[in-house]
């Protein structure tokens, strides 16, 4: 039992001290031993003389009798760890309507911060679901129109990208089908992005791996007609991509239908505010350009490779899938960097933005360098996994893969820079850099190099474009870091006033 202190007034005289001692002694004599005599100040000379004369010890000295936090009887709310998803925090808050904030603790139990009702409101599930509805509606409309255009006029579209009509006719079967994969790819990307930001950051990586492996395997089966399937050539590559995207979307759809995700989509949740549409379009423009040009680049690559036979198409397709699998490590690492950079930039913690940028670039460059070295050495073996009995496919693909591995370490800087500009509101610069790799540089290279150096031009077009993209990225990165330093100095000056 905690002691009960008995004391008189502040700056006590003899009466105040003696009466406190007498009162405590009385209660203790009656059998309640919890009372302790105390003083709110040191005894004066007279009081100290009397205590010494009669052999009493001075009472306990209290310097503060104000009510403390530990004296208050309060409820203990549930606590959350820093790694729990927002959906779980949302569920905790909804269990108790009177709970407006939840403490967030570090692994050692110390307080990390408070997750308030206002903070949750900025990332609540209804808002995320409404944003998904808007993005899904916009994306479905755009990709369906694009798919229909490619299906109805494939030759005419190819003629806009190539000055050789025979190449357009050759690539038309691929173009007619590949457009429909965009619809499923778009829907999958939207839902994966929502799940990554709200509850399950690792799900997208797993789904991407499944899609890549399935696409690579189906390419081998449908291009060359294995396991009793027809040999469809370049058309088989388009069917393989379409099937892999359909499977990815089906897996996501199953998760939502079985309610394994807190994110929901309902037609009534689609936002009707124009600013929501404008913000989504502006923020998503770099990714839209990047994904759109990736599809155009794939078409151009396959069409130009088809001139040199099915072996060239198969080899370049496998190389592309291997590269995307390797690059997914950098992509996943960068997507983990984006919310860190974005949140701290919004909070004006520019020192953290710079530190996160340097760290991600360093680790990304080291990671890509290690994977590039492994890929360069194991290139023939990697191709043999998909086409062991075809020396021509292995020879063509090994050279292309090794060329790609040479420039792979550069992605640690170029990828992070693009993502950094995107999440910090530099939408125009991020969009331009997104256009470089598979648009501004790749399209001229894939159209000109094969005419100058034949098949080698097809193999070197993408690495050459990556090298040029890195060179263009550096000035944008250095300029942003200089501005970041100026913003940091300005914030420090304001804080010191």
């Amino acid at each position: 039992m905690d002691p009960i202190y008995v004391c008189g007034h502040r700056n006590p005289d003899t009466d105040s001290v003696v009466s406190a001692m007498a009162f405590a002694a009385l209660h203790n004599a009656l059998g309640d031993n919890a009372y302790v005599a105390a003083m709110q100040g040191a005894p004066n000379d007279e009081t100290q003389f009397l205590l010494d004369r009669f052999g009493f010890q001075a009472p306990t000295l209290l310097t503060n009798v104000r009510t403390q936090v530990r004296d208050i009887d309060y409820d203990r709310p549930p606590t959350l760890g820093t790694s729990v998803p927002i959906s779980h925090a949302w569920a905790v808050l909804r269990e108790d309507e009177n709970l407006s904030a939840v403490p967030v603790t570090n692994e050692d139990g110390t307080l990390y911060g408070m997750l308030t009702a206002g903070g949750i409101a900025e990332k609540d599930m209804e808002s995320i679901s409404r944003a998904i509805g808007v993005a899904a509606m916009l994306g479905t409309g755009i990709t369906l129109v694009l798919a229909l255009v490619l299906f109805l006029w494939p030759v005419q579209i190819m003629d806009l990208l190539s000055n050789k009509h025979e190449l357009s006719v050759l690539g038309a079967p691929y173009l007619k089908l590949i457009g429909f994969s965009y619809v499923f790819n778009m829907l999958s990307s939207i839902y994966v992005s929502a799940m990554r930001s709200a509850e399950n950051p690792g799900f997208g990586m797993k789904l991407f791996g499944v899609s890549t492996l399935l696409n690579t395997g189906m390419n081998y089966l449908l291009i060359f007609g294995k396991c009793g399937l027809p040999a469809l050539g370049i058309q088989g590559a388009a069917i393989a991509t379409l099937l892999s995207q359909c499977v990815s979307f089906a897996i996501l759809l199953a998760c939502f239908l079985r309610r394994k995700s807190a994110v929901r989509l309902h037609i009534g949740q689609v936002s009707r505010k124009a600013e929501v549409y404008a913000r989504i379009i502006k923020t998503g423009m770099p990714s839209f350009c990047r994904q759109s040009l990736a599809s155009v680049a794939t078409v151009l690559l396959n069409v130009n490779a088809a001139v040199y036979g099915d072996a060239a198409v198969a080899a370049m397709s496998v190389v592309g899938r291997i590269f995307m699998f390797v690059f997914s490590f950098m992509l996943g690492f960068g997507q983990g960097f984006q919310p860190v950079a974005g949140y701290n930039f919004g909070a004006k913690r520019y020192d953290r933005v710079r530190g996160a940028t340097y760290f991600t670039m360093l680790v990304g460059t080291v990671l890509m360098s290690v994977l590039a070295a492994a890929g360069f050495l194991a290139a023939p073996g990697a191709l043999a996994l998909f086409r062991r009995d075809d020396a021509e496919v292995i020879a063509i693909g090994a050279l292309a893969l090794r060329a790609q591995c040479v420039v792979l370490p550069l992605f640690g800087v170029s990828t992070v820079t693009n993502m950094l500009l995107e999440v910090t509101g530099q939408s125009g610069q991020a969009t331009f850099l997104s256009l470089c790799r598979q648009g501004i540089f790749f399209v001229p290279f894939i159209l000109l190099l094969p005419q100058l150096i034949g098949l080698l031009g097809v193999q070197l077009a993408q690495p050459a474009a990556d090298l040029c993209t890195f060179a263009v990225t550096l000035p944008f990165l250095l300029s942003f870091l200089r501005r970041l330093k100026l913003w940091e100095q300005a914030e420090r000056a304001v804080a010191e006033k």
Side-chain angles (χ1 to χ4, degrees), residues 179-199:
F180 293 103
S181 72
Y182 302 161
V183 180
F184 298 101
N185 183 34
M186 176 275 306
L187 291 171
S188 298
S189 299
I190 290 173
Y191 283 108
V192 166
S193 297
M195 293 178 72
R196 182 171 60 244
S197 63
E199 55 183 335

Side-chain angles (χ1 to χ4, degrees), residues 192-193 196 201 204-205 330-340 419:
V192 166
S193 297
R196 182 171 60 244
M205 184 70 176
M330 184 67 235
L331 189 63
F333 195 60
Q335 288 174 342
F337 157 77
Q338 281 186 296
V340 174
M419 291 181 169

Side-chain angles (χ1 to χ4, degrees), residues 344-360:
N344 283 287
F345 185 82
K348 297 184 179 181
R349 291 300 306 267
Y350 303 122
D351 56 327
R352 293 183 178 179
V353 176
R354 186 175 61 256
T357 301
Y358 288 154
F359 173 78
T360 308

Side-chain angles (χ1 to χ4, degrees), residues 276-298:
V276 175
Y277 291 79
R279 187 166 63 250
I280 289 176
I281 292 174
K282 180 182 177 181
T283 305
M285 187 57 65
S287 295
F288 173 78
C289 294
R290 186 164 51 244
Q291 296 297 329
S292 300
L293 285 175
S295 300
V296 173
T298 301

Side-chain angles (χ1 to χ4, degrees), residues 8-82:
H9 53 73
R10 297 175 62 184
N11 301 319
D13 54 15
T14 301
D15 293 339
S16 175
V17 174
V18 172
S19 60
M21 294 172 62
F23 188 86
L26 174 62
H27 276 277
N28 291 334
L30 294 174
D32 190 350
N33 297 319
Y35 288 79
V36 177
M39 303 179 297
Q40 292 193 72
N44 56 32
D45 293 341
E46 176 188 288
T47 304
Q48 188 63 54
F49 172 79
L50 292 174
L51 291 173
D52 295 339
R53 174 69 178 80
F54 293 101
F56 286 94
Q57 186 177 2
T60 301
L61 180 63
L62 296 181
T63 59
N64 186 356
V65 293
R66 294 185 178 91
T67 302
Q68 300 179 12
V69 173
R70 64 184 180 184
D71 299 322
I72 301 174
D73 185 17
Y74 57 88
D75 296 331
R76 295 184 179 274
T79 59
L80 300 173
T82 55

Side-chain angles (χ1 to χ4, degrees), residues 195-215:
M195 293 178 72
R196 182 171 60 244
S197 63
E199 55 183 335
N200 192 346
F203 183 81
M205 184 70 176
K206 299 173 184 176
L207 188 68
F208 180 79
V210 171
S211 177
T212 300
L213 292 175
L214 180 61
N215 197 346

